[in-house]
Amino acid sequence: MKSSPRSAAIEEIDKTRVPEHVAIIMDGNGRWAKSKGHIRLFGHRHGVKTVREIIEAASEIGVKYLTLYAFSTENWNRPQSEVNGLMELLVETIKDETPTLMEKEIRLKTIGNIEQLPAKCNLQLAETVEATKEGKRMTLILALSYSGRWDIIQAVKKIARDIQSGKTTPENIDENALNSALNTGEFPNPDLLIRTSGEQRISNFLLWEIAYSEIHFSPVLWPDFKREDFYRAILDYQSRERRFGKTSEQMLPH
Ligand code: FPP
């Protein structure tokens, strides 16, 4: 493997061992903007360019599910002008990208408490989800007004209601039952989680789902994160041995 973090090339990737599901915490837009003397929204606008590039790169190498943490439950606490700007950017980007998503056979899905988003956002999301529903190449999952704890709580409430109505019993609650009550229930768990910007935290993202995910922390701020950085993360993933609690010997083919 080459040593430079910028040198990863698509040819180095083993196409037979591409992670099926990659989840990304896109971090560093604010710091990127500040370092250039601009307001935070400038960073988010440039972050959208990276979003486009990484969606394309992921679908090209055969990733089947790509989850992007676009807006967390905690992000509602940011200054109103930033929240409004992000919502505008979201509607605008999703609208603009719908023809490309359709053409590239990418299906859009959302996770999170999207009822909290402005009506305009919800309308656009519903329109794009519907327009791209036949996309078979890759599923793009946007986490919006999402947090891992929120999802676990809503799943527990759903199960509690099912017990109350007699549809299930406490004895029937297992990993599968909780999995399917989560917003992420229809998707496989992420194989690889990437966080940009040098921060090494999970920040309430996919808490249940990342139990066995490999984690790649990139020092690059999201607006500077290029397809080569994404390939680097994939190569890092491919260099790991995933044992799911077993020994190396048990993982050898019989
Ligand atoms: C984190 O950077 C980024 C966000 C909270 C928003 C991410 C949103 C986008 C990239 C644009 C819209 C997305 C889509 C999918 C259309 P930060 O602001 O926390 O950066 P900082 O840690 O440097 O302050």
Coordinates of all heavy atoms in Angstrom, one line a residue, residues 25-33 40 43-51 55 68-72 75 78 82 86 89-91 93-94 140 142 144 195 197 199 201 221-222, ligand 1:
I25 N -20.1 10.2 8.5 CA -20.3 11.4 9.3 C -19.5 12.5 8.6 O -18.3 12.5 8.6 CB -19.9 11.2 10.8 CG1 -20.6 10.0 11.4 CG2 -20.1 12.5 11.6 CD1 -20.1 9.7 12.9
M26 N -20.3 13.3 7.9 CA -19.6 14.4 7.1 C -19.3 15.6 8.0 O -20.2 16.4 8.3 CB -20.6 14.8 6.0 CG -21.2 13.7 5.2 SD -22.3 14.3 3.9 CE -23.8 14.8 4.8
D27 N -18.1 15.7 8.5 CA -17.8 16.7 9.5 C -16.7 17.6 9.0 O -15.8 17.3 8.2 CB -17.3 16.0 10.7 CG -17.3 16.9 11.9 OD1 -18.0 18.0 11.9 OD2 -16.8 16.6 13.0
G28 N -16.8 18.9 9.4 CA -15.7 19.8 9.1 C -16.1 21.0 8.2 O -15.2 21.8 7.9
N29 N -17.3 21.1 7.8 CA -17.7 22.2 6.9 C -17.5 23.5 7.6 O -17.0 24.5 6.9 CB -19.2 22.1 6.6 CG -19.6 20.9 5.7 OD1 -18.7 20.2 5.2 ND2 -20.8 20.6 5.6
G30 N -17.9 23.6 8.8 CA -17.7 24.9 9.5 C -16.3 25.4 9.6 O -16.0 26.5 9.4
R31 N -15.4 24.4 10.1 CA -14.0 24.8 10.2 C -13.4 25.1 8.9 O -12.5 26.0 8.8 CB -13.2 23.6 10.9 CG -13.3 23.6 12.4 CD -12.9 22.3 12.9 NE -13.9 21.3 12.8 CZ -13.8 20.0 12.9 NH1 -12.6 19.5 13.2 NH2 -14.8 19.2 12.7
W32 N -13.8 24.4 7.8 CA -13.3 24.7 6.5 C -13.6 26.1 6.1 O -12.8 26.9 5.6 CB -13.9 23.7 5.5 CG -13.4 23.7 4.1 CD1 -12.3 23.1 3.6 CD2 -13.9 24.5 3.0 NE1 -12.1 23.4 2.3 CE2 -13.1 24.2 1.9 CE3 -15.0 25.3 2.9 CZ2 -13.3 24.8 0.6 CZ3 -15.2 25.9 1.6 CH2 -14.4 25.6 0.5
A33 N -14.9 26.5 6.3 CA -15.3 27.9 5.9 C -14.6 28.9 6.7 O -14.1 29.9 6.2 CB -16.8 28.0 6.2
R40 N -20.3 29.8 8.0 CA -20.4 28.3 8.0 C -21.1 27.8 6.8 O -20.8 26.7 6.3 CB -21.1 27.8 9.3 CG -20.3 28.3 10.6 CD -21.1 27.9 11.8 NE -21.4 26.5 11.8 CZ -20.5 25.5 12.2 NH1 -19.3 25.9 12.6 NH2 -20.8 24.3 12.1
G43 N -19.2 26.7 3.9 CA -18.7 25.3 4.0 C -19.7 24.3 3.6 O -19.4 23.3 3.0
H44 N -21.0 24.5 4.1 CA -22.0 23.5 3.7 C -22.2 23.4 2.2 O -22.4 22.4 1.6 CB -23.3 23.8 4.4 CG -23.2 23.8 6.0 ND1 -22.6 22.7 6.6 CD2 -23.7 24.6 6.9 CE1 -22.6 22.9 7.9 NE2 -23.3 24.1 8.1
R45 N -22.2 24.6 1.6 CA -22.4 24.7 0.1 C -21.3 23.9 -0.6 O -21.5 23.2 -1.5 CB -22.4 26.1 -0.4 CG -23.6 26.9 0.0 CD -24.0 28.0 -1.0 NE -25.4 28.4 -0.7 CZ -26.4 27.8 -1.4 NH1 -26.2 27.0 -2.4 NH2 -27.6 28.2 -1.1
H46 N -20.0 24.1 -0.1 CA -18.9 23.3 -0.7 C -19.0 21.8 -0.3 O -18.6 21.0 -1.1 CB -17.6 23.9 -0.3 CG -17.2 25.1 -1.2 ND1 -16.5 25.0 -2.3 CD2 -17.7 26.4 -1.2 CE1 -16.4 26.1 -2.9 NE2 -17.1 27.0 -2.2
G47 N -19.6 21.6 0.8 CA -19.8 20.2 1.3 C -20.7 19.4 0.3 O -20.6 18.2 0.1
V48 N -21.6 20.1 -0.3 CA -22.5 19.5 -1.3 C -21.8 18.9 -2.5 O -22.1 17.9 -3.0 CB -23.7 20.5 -1.8 CG1 -24.4 19.9 -2.9 CG2 -24.6 20.8 -0.6
K49 N -20.7 19.7 -2.9 CA -19.9 19.2 -4.0 C -19.3 17.8 -3.7 O -19.2 16.9 -4.5 CB -18.7 20.2 -4.3 CG -19.2 21.5 -4.9 CD -18.1 22.4 -5.3 CE -18.6 23.8 -5.7 NZ -17.6 24.7 -5.8
T50 N -18.8 17.7 -2.4 CA -18.2 16.5 -1.9 C -19.3 15.4 -1.9 O -19.1 14.2 -2.3 CB -17.6 16.6 -0.5 OG1 -16.7 17.7 -0.6 CG2 -16.9 15.4 -0.1
V51 N -20.5 15.8 -1.5 CA -21.6 14.8 -1.4 C -21.8 14.2 -2.8 O -21.8 13.0 -3.0 CB -22.9 15.4 -1.0 CG1 -24.1 14.5 -1.2 CG2 -22.8 15.8 0.5
I55 N -21.0 10.2 -3.7 CA -22.1 9.4 -4.2 C -21.7 8.7 -5.5 O -21.9 7.5 -5.6 CB -23.4 10.2 -4.4 CG1 -24.0 10.7 -3.1 CG2 -24.5 9.4 -5.1 CD1 -25.1 11.7 -3.2
L68 N -25.6 9.0 4.7 CA -25.0 10.2 5.0 C -25.7 10.9 6.1 O -26.9 11.1 6.1 CB -25.0 11.1 3.7 CG -24.3 10.6 2.4 CD1 -24.5 11.6 1.3 CD2 -22.8 10.3 2.7
Y69 N -24.9 11.3 7.1 CA -25.4 12.0 8.3 C -25.5 13.5 7.9 O -24.5 14.2 8.0 CB -24.5 11.8 9.5 CG -25.1 11.9 10.8 CD1 -26.5 12.2 11.0 CD2 -24.4 11.8 12.0 CE1 -27.1 12.3 12.2 CE2 -25.0 11.8 13.3 CZ -26.3 12.1 13.4 OH -26.9 12.1 14.6
A70 N -26.7 13.9 7.4 CA -26.8 15.3 6.8 C -27.3 16.3 7.9 O -27.0 17.5 7.8 CB -27.8 15.3 5.6
F71 N -28.1 15.8 8.9 CA -28.6 16.7 9.9 C -29.0 15.9 11.1 O -29.9 15.1 11.0 CB -29.8 17.5 9.3 CG -30.2 18.7 10.1 CD1 -29.5 19.9 9.9 CD2 -31.2 18.6 11.1 CE1 -29.9 21.0 10.7 CE2 -31.5 19.7 11.9 CZ -30.9 20.9 11.6
S72 N -28.4 16.2 12.2 CA -28.7 15.4 13.4 C -29.7 16.1 14.3 O -30.0 17.3 14.1 CB -27.4 15.3 14.3 OG -27.1 16.5 14.9
N75 N -28.4 19.1 15.7 CA -28.2 20.2 14.8 C -29.3 21.3 14.9 O -29.1 22.4 14.5 CB -28.0 19.8 13.4 CG -26.6 19.1 13.1 OD1 -26.5 18.3 12.2 ND2 -25.6 19.4 13.9
R78 N -28.4 24.6 16.4 CA -27.5 25.6 15.8 C -28.2 26.9 15.6 O -29.5 27.0 15.6 CB -27.0 25.0 14.5 CG -26.1 23.9 14.7 CD -25.2 23.5 13.6 NE -24.3 22.5 13.9 CZ -23.3 22.1 13.2 NH1 -23.1 22.6 12.0 NH2 -22.4 21.2 13.6
E82 N -28.3 29.3 10.3 CA -27.6 28.1 9.8 C -28.6 27.0 9.5 O -28.5 26.4 8.4 CB -26.5 27.7 10.7 CG -25.7 26.5 10.1 CD -24.5 26.1 11.0 OE1 -24.2 26.7 12.0 OE2 -24.0 25.0 10.7
L86 N -29.3 25.5 5.9 CA -29.1 24.0 5.6 C -30.3 23.4 5.0 O -30.3 22.6 4.1 CB -28.7 23.3 6.9 CG -27.2 23.2 7.2 CD1 -27.0 22.7 8.6 CD2 -26.5 22.2 6.2
L89 N -30.6 24.5 1.4 CA -29.6 23.8 0.6 C -30.0 22.4 0.4 O -29.8 21.8 -0.8 CB -28.3 23.8 1.4 CG -27.0 23.3 0.8 CD1 -26.7 24.2 -0.5 CD2 -25.8 23.5 1.7
L90 N -30.7 21.8 1.3 CA -31.1 20.4 1.2 C -32.2 20.3 0.1 O -32.1 19.5 -0.8 CB -31.7 20.0 2.5 CG -32.0 18.5 2.7 CD1 -30.6 17.8 2.8 CD2 -32.8 18.3 4.0
V91 N -33.2 21.2 0.2 CA -34.3 21.2 -0.8 C -33.7 21.4 -2.2 O -34.0 20.7 -3.2 CB -35.3 22.3 -0.5 CG1 -36.4 22.3 -1.6 CG2 -36.0 22.1 0.8
T93 N -30.6 21.0 -3.3 CA -29.7 20.0 -3.8 C -30.5 18.8 -4.2 O -30.3 18.2 -5.3 CB -28.7 19.5 -2.7 OG1 -28.1 20.7 -2.2 CG2 -27.7 18.6 -3.2
I94 N -31.5 18.4 -3.4 CA -32.3 17.2 -3.8 C -33.0 17.4 -5.1 O -33.1 16.5 -5.9 CB -33.2 16.8 -2.6 CG1 -32.3 16.7 -1.4 CG2 -34.0 15.6 -2.9 CD1 -32.7 15.7 -0.3
L140 N -29.3 5.5 -1.5 CA -28.7 6.6 -0.8 C -29.6 6.9 0.3 O -30.8 7.2 0.1 CB -28.5 7.8 -1.8 CG -28.2 9.1 -1.1 CD1 -26.8 9.1 -0.5 CD2 -28.3 10.3 -2.1
L142 N -30.4 9.3 3.4 CA -30.0 10.6 4.1 C -30.6 10.5 5.5 O -31.8 10.3 5.8 CB -30.6 11.7 3.4 CG -30.0 12.1 2.0 CD1 -30.7 13.4 1.5 CD2 -28.5 12.3 2.1
L144 N -31.7 12.5 8.5 CA -32.2 13.9 8.6 C -33.0 14.0 9.9 O -33.9 13.2 10.1 CB -33.0 14.3 7.4 CG -32.3 14.4 6.1 CD1 -33.3 14.4 4.9 CD2 -31.5 15.7 6.0
R195 N -15.6 8.9 9.4 CA -15.9 10.2 9.9 C -14.7 11.1 9.4 O -13.6 10.7 9.6 CB -15.9 10.2 11.4 CG -16.2 11.7 11.9 CD -16.5 11.8 13.4 NE -16.9 13.2 13.7 CZ -17.8 13.5 14.6 NH1 -18.3 12.6 15.3 NH2 -18.1 14.7 14.8
S197 N -12.7 15.0 9.2 CA -12.3 16.2 10.0 C -11.4 15.9 11.2 O -11.2 16.8 12.0 CB -13.5 17.0 10.4 OG -14.0 16.6 11.7
E199 N -12.1 14.3 13.9 CA -12.8 14.0 15.2 C -13.0 12.5 15.3 O -13.3 11.9 14.3 CB -14.1 14.7 15.2 CG -14.1 16.2 15.1 CD -13.5 17.0 16.2 OE1 -13.3 16.4 17.3 OE2 -13.2 18.2 16.1
R201 N -15.3 10.5 17.1 CA -16.5 10.3 17.9 C -17.6 9.7 17.0 O -17.5 9.8 15.8 CB -17.0 11.6 18.4 CG -16.3 12.2 19.6 CD -17.1 13.4 20.1 NE -17.2 14.5 19.1 CZ -16.3 15.4 18.9 NH1 -15.2 15.4 19.6 NH2 -16.5 16.3 18.0
L221 N -11.1 17.6 6.1 CA -12.4 18.3 6.3 C -13.3 17.9 5.2 O -12.9 17.8 4.0 CB -12.2 19.8 6.4 CG -11.2 20.3 7.5 CD1 -11.1 21.8 7.5 CD2 -11.7 19.9 8.9
W222 N -14.6 17.8 5.5 CA -15.5 17.3 4.4 C -15.5 18.0 3.1 O -15.4 17.4 2.0 CB -17.0 17.2 5.0 CG -17.9 16.7 4.0 CD1 -18.9 17.4 3.3 CD2 -18.0 15.3 3.5 NE1 -19.6 16.6 2.5 CE2 -19.1 15.3 2.6 CE3 -17.3 14.2 3.8 CZ2 -19.4 14.1 1.9 CZ3 -17.7 13.0 3.2 CH2 -18.7 13.0 2.2
Ligands
FPP1 C1 -20.9 19.0 9.7 O1 -20.0 20.0 9.6 C2 -21.9 19.0 8.6 C3 -23.2 19.2 8.7 C4 -23.9 19.4 10.0 C5 -24.1 19.3 7.6 C6 -23.8 18.4 6.4 C7 -24.5 18.9 5.3 C8 -24.1 19.0 4.0 C9 -22.8 18.5 3.5 C10 -24.9 19.7 2.9 C11 -26.3 19.1 2.7 C12 -26.3 17.7 2.5 C13 -26.9 17.0 1.5 C14 -27.0 15.5 1.6 C15 -27.6 17.6 0.4 P1 -19.9 21.1 10.8 O2 -20.8 22.2 10.4 O3 -20.3 20.4 12.0 O4 -18.4 21.4 10.8 P2 -17.5 21.9 12.0 O5 -17.4 20.6 12.9 O6 -16.2 22.2 11.4 O7 -18.2 23.0 12.7

